[in-house]
Amino acid sequence: AEYGGCTMDAQLLCQALQGSLSPDNQQRSQAEVFLQKCSTTPGYAVALFQILSSGEVPLEIRHSASIAFKNLVKRSWEVDQIRKLENILLIDEQEKRVIRDNLVEALISAPKIIRVQLGVSLQQICTTDFPDHWPGLVDKIVTLIGSQGKDQIYGALFAYRYLCKKFEYIVTSNPKREILNKLVERTFPMLVGLFQHVSQIDSLDSAELQILLVKIFWSSTQLAIPPFLIDNNNLMPWMQLLLQIVEKEVILPPDWRNYAQTVIQYPWWVAKKWAAHTFVRFFSRYGTVKTTDDDIHKAFATLFLQHYIDKLLETFVRLLTNRKPKEPYKFVALCINFVSHSIYSSRTWQVLKPHVSHLFQDILFPLLCYNEEDDDLFNNHPQEYIKRQFDVWQELYDPRPSILYFIVNVVKIRGKQHLDVFLNYVTQILTDYQLGDLSKSNPSRKYGALYAIGSLAPSLKNREEFRKGLEVILPQHVFPELSSSYPFLRALACWTFGEIWFIRYPNEETFFMALKGVLNCLKDPLLPVKVNAALSLRNIIKHPLAHEPLLEALPFVLEELIKMSDYIDSDDVIGTIDILIEKYRDQMPNFSSLLVKKLCSIFHRLSTERTFEDEDDDENWNSDVTAVQTLKTLQTLIDSVSKIPDALMQIDLAVTPLIAKVLQDRDMTYLQDVLKIVTGVTFYSKEISPTMWSLFPMFYEAFMTWAPDFMPNLLLPLDNYISKGSNVIVTGSYLEMIFNMYQKLIADPKSPETEAGDACKLIEVVLMNLKGQVDKWVLPYIELALNRVPIAESFGLKVLLLEVVINCLAYNPLLTLNILESKGWTQSFFGNWFELLFKEFNRVHDKKLSILALCSLFMIPFASLPQFIKSEVHKFFVAILKLQVLVSKQKQELAAIRDRESDSSFDEVDGDSVDDDDENMEDDSEDLDDLEVEVVPDDLDVGDEIDQFSAQLSEHYRDVSEKDYTLDEKEGYREGDDEWITAIDNVDEAQYFAQVFREFSQREPLVSKQLHDNLNAEEKATLNDLITPKTT
């Protein structure tokens, strides 16, 4: 078939797309191979586009085509971001024009699952083509919005939403931000008119249009406020319409599932959520004028506070007060978050303050209690219950965490007296339950009380009165519920024990019995109880009393966690396995085979099941978090079996397909952690395995095409490949690949200096580990480095570029000098080197390398040296002596720092011991007393009380900041170099010099004597100290 001048067999392509969905592995594999071949054929992009746009093609094939099209656009649309390799098609301009001319129309007619894919594609295309190569896009969108067709209006708004998303995170200083400002100025008057019209229509179609309009407003104000909206005449209609949506009463149709977790999917609730979220963001950023960052935002903050804040606060408090039972959690949480921000502003705090107790007891606390929907989820949808309890995305919208956030901030900012009111209230609830008063003994309310105390405990644990109260609450009110007849209280008791793990136990048996209760809950038939028991161990394990009993139970606990991972995808479950591996690493060889297979299986499933059909769907993000935690746990497992070759080889074989999949899928989400796994396997192995060598070309292709920014992450595994596989790396095309990576970063003056510096380190690894085997590469190494030196902006990069040549000298001094002489580079190189040598060669490694390279000059017969070197030989000799003194002094200083750090570590609280003071055990959680700033008076905004202090702080540190910036400019990207292991680390530079000088003196006695005679007294003393044999 012919598509815009591009030839492609559409029927055969449809068959392949259908085959790629087949459950039969062989058929699916054949289809995928065919599609891969098609991706290198001109016309592929347009062919996919026509298939996904055709109403005559079955929906599942169109959907498959839309995903393939989106991925192709992401990979092959932008020429500047990718190198043209044989297996990658760069979409040509003719195809691009066909797609741009028809994309908006395709959006209009596409079903939802295809429309989302096209929206992402449009955003990607706009990133490179708008406005220069797509000047008519906005005109087309404006025309369609002004039409009378419902589908045309919706499709145009959908396209405009994704165009605006392109600008969401462009800062105000970026010139591209002005493009968005002009778009807003042109389109917002028309859009608000449409908004006002559809707001009068109470239908689901109207709701869908209003969702898009709110999202357009959201994206346009994401990072900054367009100047158009600083005029209240322009802002007011939008604010009124958003408020109208927030206040709208939603009545669900009879056939809609009346369920708080799914009601949010109802279009009107989606609209309410986005509108409320917009107001929350405005309040958080512009609720106090002093915390805004420029004149435009100060003006907007003033406008927001003067005209809108009072009405908005009254509205959100009213919505909470009149809340109905089945309102979506996300919306309720947003209402709470808005009210929470009123704490920071004196204006809104004065309004809220008289109602705090009422809010605590009558509005917020009931939301903490176990309710009918919790019970339905617990018993009928346990995975969903667990997800809501532990999923970080759910926490952003769940009312419970929002309530505790509100309480903590009231206490932190407006005084701890407010905490006493709340704690007295929940403590009384626990007491009533314990006393068995039938009128007050409510397990649902006990759930709320324990949840509140458990959530606040990490932040309040250092308050003596609170901590002592916990030492009573846990044995009296928590531990008995580990065997409660109410399953939800059993689960909560496990969780609460984990949150309040840090208290003392005068009777140790109390702790042991409670831990036994948690382990029994691991056997519970109900999944929420099992999961809460398992996850509580993450913290309980920190208690010194827990080590031995958990060691005895380790096989059982690991077995239960592995089983659990089959039922739920939770980074917390995987993280608990990670903690156990770290804590009991000596026991891991017994479990490593089972664990690595399971972890690889989990990762494969999670990374394969990802979809991108709904931008509001958090499932992909949740899967990514769990998958990343799985990779981190594999890293911990590798560390734990590092001294067991057989276990390490099992891991090597198991992770190779996983790594290959990430590279084949071009998945940047996991690349950094995958490279850490490769680093661990190659570092701990005695030699690089064939399976690891099979990955090397894939790393190369990734770096050269879709992952050029990952050289800092690639450097360590490449070092291991070179240093441990020196016999293999010199074969085949490995050295050519390494050179191409080096060239890519050094030859391009636009490449980031951080990555360019890492490329220099890569060549250093080659030269240090492959003595005598890379002679033919020395010239191109040197040429690229010296060409980049004049344009390098930072001294740090200049040093590393010069060190490429210095390493070449140390590798083969005669070859390097001949190259420098033949190219006329000798004097300029040595001039640059010595200009920076005693100013910018700051690391011990820099100085040590220079010593070894300068020493190499004295290994060459003096008569064979270039004339320039002969004339400067005294300067080089003195430099060696001076560097030796500096290195010795710097080593002593570093040793003293390490000794002080080691000594200070003994003064810190040991995580495995119990101190007699308040701070028992090591904990990463933040304490309220540590976090709390001075309580802000009721008549001040947060920010007022720190203005003077901030000014003083700025003045005090101004000079230091300037010096630090200069240091960062030179050295910042070399942070962590002290941890960098090189082949010369074990070389004693003093002994090395002494040996070289003795041989030189025997070979060149006259030159040696002349050098000695021309030294001053201090230099002679240094030389004598270096060449005098040390007595032991």
Side-chain angles (χ1 to χ4, degrees):
E2 189 76 16
Y3 310 111
C6 303
T7 302
M8 176 68 63
D9 189 333
Q11 184 175 357
L12 199 57
L13 189 55
C14 283
Q15 292 175 4
L17 290 166
Q18 178 75 63
S20 69
L21 304 174
S22 172
D24 181 83
N25 290 336
Q26 183 176 358
Q27 185 178 353
R28 187 173 65 252
S29 177
Q30 291 174 348
E32 290 171 350
V33 169
F34 177 80
L35 290 173
Q36 178 62 33
K37 291 180 181 178
C38 287
S39 69
T40 64
T41 305
Y44 181 56
V46 174
L48 287 174
F49 183 72
Q50 186 177 37
I51 290 170
L52 67 87
S53 304
S54 173
E56 299 177 0
V57 177
L59 183 59
E60 67 271 15
I61 297 179
R62 295 176 65 190
H63 185 212
S64 180
S66 70
I67 294 173
F69 177 77
K70 177 198 68 180
N71 292 334
L72 182 67
V73 167
K74 182 179 179 181
R75 183 175 70 247
S76 303
W77 192 276
E78 174 51 74
V79 177
D80 293 340
Q81 295 178 354
I82 195 165
R83 295 289 186 259
K84 187 174 183 179
L85 300 180
E86 292 181 0
N87 62 335
I88 296 178
L89 171 72
L90 298 177
I91 302 172
D92 66 30
E93 188 54 43
Q94 183 181 3
E95 288 188 81
K96 288 182 178 181
R97 187 164 51 252
V98 171
I99 292 167
R100 286 193 299 260
D101 289 347
N102 295 279
L103 185 52
V104 175
E105 287 78 6
L107 275 167
I108 292 171
S109 60
K112 179 180 178 181
I113 59 172
I114 296 173
R115 186 185 300 123
V116 172
Q117 307 294 340
L118 289 176
V120 175
S121 302
L122 183 143
Q123 183 182 347
Q124 180 68 32
I125 294 170
C126 286
T127 300
T128 59
D129 288 16
F130 181 82
D132 296 341
H133 300 294
W134 207 351
L137 175 61
V138 177
D139 290 337
K140 178 179 287 189
I141 289 173
V142 168
T143 299
L144 289 168
I145 291 175
S147 69
Q148 299 300 312
K150 178 186 67 176
D151 292 340
Q152 284 75 12
I153 295 173
Y154 184 88
L157 288 176
F158 192 90
Y160 193 54
R161 148 70 167 160
Y162 274 92
L163 171 60
C164 291
K165 276 178 70 68
K166 168 194 170 181
F167 298 96
E168 278 187 344
Y169 297 103
I170 294 179
V171 297
T172 53
S173 58
N174 190 324
K176 291 183 179 179
R177 187 77 194 181
E178 187 57 30
I179 298 174
L180 176 65
N181 292 338
K182 290 180 179 179
L183 286 175
V184 168
E185 188 174 347
R186 177 182 177 183
T187 62
F188 268 37
M190 175 188 63
L191 292 177
V192 81
L194 175 64
F195 204 163
Q196 289 168 333
H197 171 71
V198 298
S199 69
Q200 300 174 28
I201 304 171
D202 190 6
S203 69
L204 293 185
D205 286 341
S206 172
E208 296 286 2
L209 290 173
Q210 291 184 59
I211 290 169
L212 286 175
L213 288 162
V214 176
K215 287 182 177 182
I216 289 169
F217 186 81
W218 166 274
S219 295
S220 301
T221 58
Q222 170 72 283
L223 206 60
I225 301 297
F228 178 80
L229 295 176
I230 301 302
D231 184 340
N232 196 39
N233 292 323
N234 298 327
L235 177 64
M236 185 181 299
W238 286 95
M239 299 293 278
Q240 290 173 339
L241 290 163
L242 291 171
L243 184 60
Q244 181 177 319
I245 292 176
V246 168
E247 292 182 312
K248 178 177 176 59
E249 182 179 1
V250 178
I251 301 176
L252 294 173
D255 58 342
W256 192 269
R257 190 182 180 196
N258 191 19
Y259 204 42
Q261 282 292 87
T262 54
V263 164
I264 192 61
Q265 299 168 10
Y266 189 64
W268 280 116
W269 277 117
V270 174
K272 285 170 71 73
K273 182 200 75 172
W274 277 94
H277 206 165
T278 302
F279 287 137
V280 170
R281 189 180 65 190
F282 280 175
F283 201 178
S284 67
R285 291 186 183 175
Y286 312 112
T288 54
V289 176
K290 290 183 178 294
T291 57
T292 52
D293 54 4
D294 58 36
D295 291 341
I296 288 180
H297 291 150
K298 288 184 186 299
F300 184 83
T302 301
L303 204 64
F304 182 70
L305 291 170
Q306 287 180 352
H307 295 279
Y308 303 105
I309 194 62
D310 295 336
K311 174 64 175 176
L312 288 172
L313 180 58
E314 182 271 327
T315 298
F316 281 103
V317 171
R318 174 167 45 80
L319 289 170
L320 286 172
T321 303
N322 299 330
R323 184 185 70 89
K324 295 179 180 178
K326 297 295 183 178
E327 289 189 0
Y329 290 136
K330 288 184 179 182
F331 183 75
V332 176
L334 286 167
C335 293
I336 297 169
N337 288 339
F338 188 93
V339 174
S340 294
H341 286 295
S342 66
I343 301 165
Y344 297 91
S345 167
S346 62
R347 175 175 182 160
T348 50
W349 172 245
Q350 295 287 1
V351 175
L352 187 66
K353 182 183 176 182
H355 308 290
V356 168
S357 294
H358 167 63
L359 273 172
F360 278 171
Q361 298 177 18
D362 300 326
I363 297 177
L364 300 182
F365 181 78
L367 289 168
L368 297 177
C369 297
Y370 191 78
N371 56 45
E372 179 184 345
E373 182 171 334
D374 292 327
D375 195 61
D376 181 35
L377 290 174
F378 191 101
N379 292 296
N380 301 320
H381 309 280
Q383 285 93 346
E384 189 65 27
Y385 180 90
I386 294 163
K387 176 183 175 182
R388 196 179 73 182
Q389 185 179 6
F390 294 106
D391 191 324
V392 64
W393 269 114
Q394 296 296 315
E395 287 184 7
L396 293 176
Y397 297 103
D398 191 327
R400 289 177 174 127
S402 300
I403 291 166
L404 275 302
Y405 172 83
F406 174 69
I407 295 169
V408 168
N409 279 309
V410 168
V411 176
K412 280 170 53 180
I413 296 167
R414 298 300 177 180
K416 293 181 181 178
Q417 68 274 15
H418 300 289
L419 177 64
D420 296 333
V421 175
F422 186 73
L423 288 181
N424 290 339
Y425 180 71
V426 296
T427 303
Q428 186 60 51
I429 290 171
L430 294 176
T431 302
D432 291 341
Y433 186 88
Q434 185 181 33
L435 294 176
D437 185 338
L438 294 179
S439 64
K440 299 179 180 179
S441 182
N442 184 331
S444 171
R445 289 172 63 80
K446 179 168 186 177
Y447 179 100
L450 290 181
Y451 177 84
I453 292 174
S455 299
L456 291 172
S459 296
L460 302 175
K461 66 183 180 63
N462 284 348
R463 291 192 68 195
E464 179 63 21
E465 67 278 15
F466 182 72
R467 192 184 188 103
K468 288 182 178 179
L470 294 178
E471 292 173 3
V472 175
I473 287 173
L474 223 62
Q476 288 189 7
H477 300 292
V478 177
F479 293 163
E481 302 301 342
L482 290 169
S483 57
S484 172
S485 59
Y486 297 105
F488 66 88
L489 285 182
R490 291 201 301 272
L492 186 69
C494 292
W495 174 83
T496 308
F497 185 14
E499 295 300 301
I500 313 176
W501 63 271
F502 45 79
I503 67 170
R504 299 183 186 90
Y505 292 90
N507 182 356
E508 294 182 357
E509 191 61 27
T510 302
F511 176 87
F512 294 135
M513 291 301 295
L515 181 54
K516 184 178 179 180
V518 171
L519 295 176
N520 285 335
C521 285
L522 269 177
K523 306 173 187 176
D524 200 284
L526 296 175
L527 187 62
V529 180
K530 292 171 68 76
V531 172
N532 275 272
L535 300 189
S536 70
L537 296 176
R538 293 176 301 173
N539 287 331
I540 295 173
I541 199 172
K542 299 175 187 177
H543 200 289
L545 295 176
H547 183 81
E548 290 301 324
L550 281 179
L551 177 59
E552 294 177 8
L554 186 61
F556 163 69
V557 172
L558 283 175
E559 181 183 3
E560 289 300 321
L561 285 167
I562 289 171
K563 289 179 182 177
M564 208 173 291
S565 64
D566 289 330
Y567 299 107
I568 60 168
D569 296 329
S570 167
D571 62 303
D572 292 305
V573 171
I574 306 300
T576 303
I577 296 175
D578 193 359
I579 291 170
L580 289 170
I581 293 172
E582 178 64 31
K583 189 73 173 179
Y584 299 108
R585 57 173 51 225
D586 292 342
Q587 308 297 317
M588 283 307 113
N590 300 323
F591 306 99
S592 61
S593 178
L594 175 64
L595 284 171
V596 71
K597 290 178 182 177
K598 189 63 184 178
L599 291 169
C600 289
S601 173
I602 292 170
F603 178 82
H604 180 79
R605 175 170 52 80
L606 292 172
S607 60
T608 302
E609 291 176 353
R610 297 159 82 204
T611 61
F612 298 92
E613 295 182 3
D614 189 346
E615 66 171 307
D616 294 328
D617 186 6
D618 300 328
E619 290 298 326
N620 292 319
W621 193 91
N622 297 328
S623 295
D624 284 344
V625 171
T626 306
V628 168
Q629 179 60 63
T630 304
L631 296 177
K632 293 184 183 301
T633 304
L634 280 169
Q635 296 165 33
T636 306
L637 184 61
I638 291 167
D639 290 338
S640 71
V641 301
S642 59
K643 297 180 181 179
I644 314 294
D646 290 343
L648 198 59
M649 180 54 67
Q650 287 180 337
I651 294 176
D652 183 325
L653 294 171
V655 300
T656 300
L658 176 155
I659 297 165
K661 182 182 186 303
V662 170
L663 295 171
Q664 290 164 356
D665 292 348
R666 301 181 169 216
D667 201 330
M668 288 190 180
T669 306
Y670 309 127
L671 184 57
Q672 184 173 347
D673 286 288
V674 156
L675 290 173
K676 288 180 180 179
I677 289 174
V678 177
T679 300
V681 171
T682 54
F683 179 77
Y684 291 125
S685 300
K686 291 183 178 180
E687 60 182 22
I688 309 298
S689 69
T691 54
M692 282 291 125
W693 278 115
S694 71
L695 297 172
F696 193 102
M698 301 176 72
F699 291 136
Y700 169 72
E701 183 192 7
F703 173 77
M704 296 299 288
T705 56
W706 57 275
D709 298 331
F710 278 80
M711 177 52 76
N713 309 99
L714 267 172
L715 192 55
L716 283 174
L718 289 176
D719 184 352
N720 294 336
Y721 274 107
I722 295 165
S723 60
K724 293 199 171 189
S726 56
N727 60 324
V728 177
I729 202 76
V730 295
T731 64
S733 57
Y734 291 116
L735 289 176
E736 184 178 356
M737 293 182 197
I738 289 172
F739 175 75
N740 289 341
M741 290 189 277
Y742 168 69
Q743 183 181 44
K744 180 182 176 73
L745 291 174
I746 301 300
D748 183 0
K750 296 180 181 179
S751 65
E753 297 210 337
T754 302
E755 282 80 357
D758 287 327
C760 295
K761 293 179 185 178
L762 176 61
I763 299 307
E764 177 175 275
V765 174
V766 171
L767 292 165
M768 286 185 176
N769 287 278
L770 304 177
K771 291 288 186 181
Q773 300 183 80
V774 291
D775 288 6
K776 76 172 187 176
W777 296 103
V778 172
L779 171 58
Y781 290 164
I782 292 174
E783 187 170 20
L784 284 171
L786 292 183
N787 286 340
R788 183 71 183 264
V789 168
I791 59 175
E793 296 181 359
S794 68
F795 287 121
L797 179 57
K798 287 180 185 292
V799 168
L800 292 175
L801 290 165
L802 292 172
E803 284 183 347
V804 171
V805 188
I806 296 168
N807 270 291
C808 289
L809 271 176
Y811 167 82
N812 188 326
L814 190 57
L815 172 63
T816 302
L817 287 176
N818 288 338
I819 290 171
L820 293 175
E821 280 290 290
S822 67
K823 295 292 185 178
W825 295 336
T826 306
Q827 288 183 259
S828 62
F829 162 67
F830 279 93
N832 285 327
W833 182 7
F834 273 75
E835 181 183 354
L836 299 179
L837 181 56
F838 296 104
K839 297 178 182 177
E840 305 298 339
F841 281 56
N842 297 316
R843 301 174 299 169
V844 168
H845 176 81
D846 299 331
K847 300 179 181 70
K848 189 172 184 177
L849 177 62
S850 291
I851 290 172
L852 301 183
L854 289 170
C855 284
S856 73
L857 300 177
F858 292 86
M859 298 177 182
I860 302 173
F862 190 74
S864 301
L865 290 172
Q867 185 58 41
F868 174 78
I869 303 297
K870 292 179 181 177
S871 66
E872 297 288 327
V873 69
H874 177 74
K875 176 182 177 180
F876 299 155
F877 190 69
V878 171
I880 292 174
L881 299 178
K882 186 176 180 181
L883 287 169
Q884 294 279 10
V885 173
L886 292 173
V887 168
S888 177
K889 181 180 179 182
Q890 192 169 356
K891 284 182 175 179
Q892 292 172 11
E893 292 172 348
L894 290 172
I897 291 172
R898 283 192 289 268
D899 289 343
R900 285 197 298 271
E901 290 175 347
S902 177
D903 291 342
S904 66
S905 68
F906 289 105
D907 297 331
E908 297 176 1
V909 179
D910 188 341
D912 291 329
S913 63
V914 179
D915 191 70
D916 290 334
D917 295 325
D918 285 345
E919 197 60 45
N920 291 13
M921 286 149 283
E922 185 180 340
D923 186 24
D924 295 331
S925 58
E926 297 175 309
D927 180 76
L928 185 61
D929 294 322
D930 298 331
L931 293 174
E932 185 173 13
V933 296
E934 182 178 351
V935 173
V936 181
D938 292 342
D939 59 346
L940 291 181
D941 295 341
V942 172
D944 290 343
E945 80 291 350
I946 62 172
D947 280 350
Q948 184 176 1
F949 173 72
S950 297
Q952 293 170 348
L953 194 67
S954 299
E955 180 67 26
H956 180 71
Y957 285 108
R958 181 174 294 127
D959 293 336
V960 176
S961 297
E962 290 171 356
K963 292 177 183 177
D964 285 348
Y965 176 79
T966 303
L967 178 64
D968 287 342
E969 184 184 76
K970 296 185 295 185
E971 298 292 336
Y973 70 89
R974 295 165 67 188
E975 182 181 355
D977 278 352
D978 288 340
E979 305 298 325
W980 180 255
I981 300 172
T982 71
I984 66 171
D985 289 352
N986 294 326
V987 176
D988 186 311
E989 66 281 352
Q991 292 181 12
Y992 185 86
F993 166 75
Q995 179 65 27
V996 169
F997 184 71
R998 279 194 292 270
E999 294 175 359
F1000 176 77
S1001 298
Q1002 293 173 4
R1003 190 178 66 250
E1004 311 283 353
L1006 294 178
V1007 179
S1008 175
K1009 183 178 184 305
Q1010 187 177 10
L1011 287 173
H1012 180 274
D1013 292 345
N1014 288 333
L1015 297 175
N1016 61 35
E1018 183 180 355
E1019 293 163 349
K1020 287 179 180 178
T1022 300
L1023 175 61
N1024 186 60
D1025 182 62
L1026 288 169
I1027 64 177
T1028 301
K1030 303 297 186 293
T1031 58
T1032 58

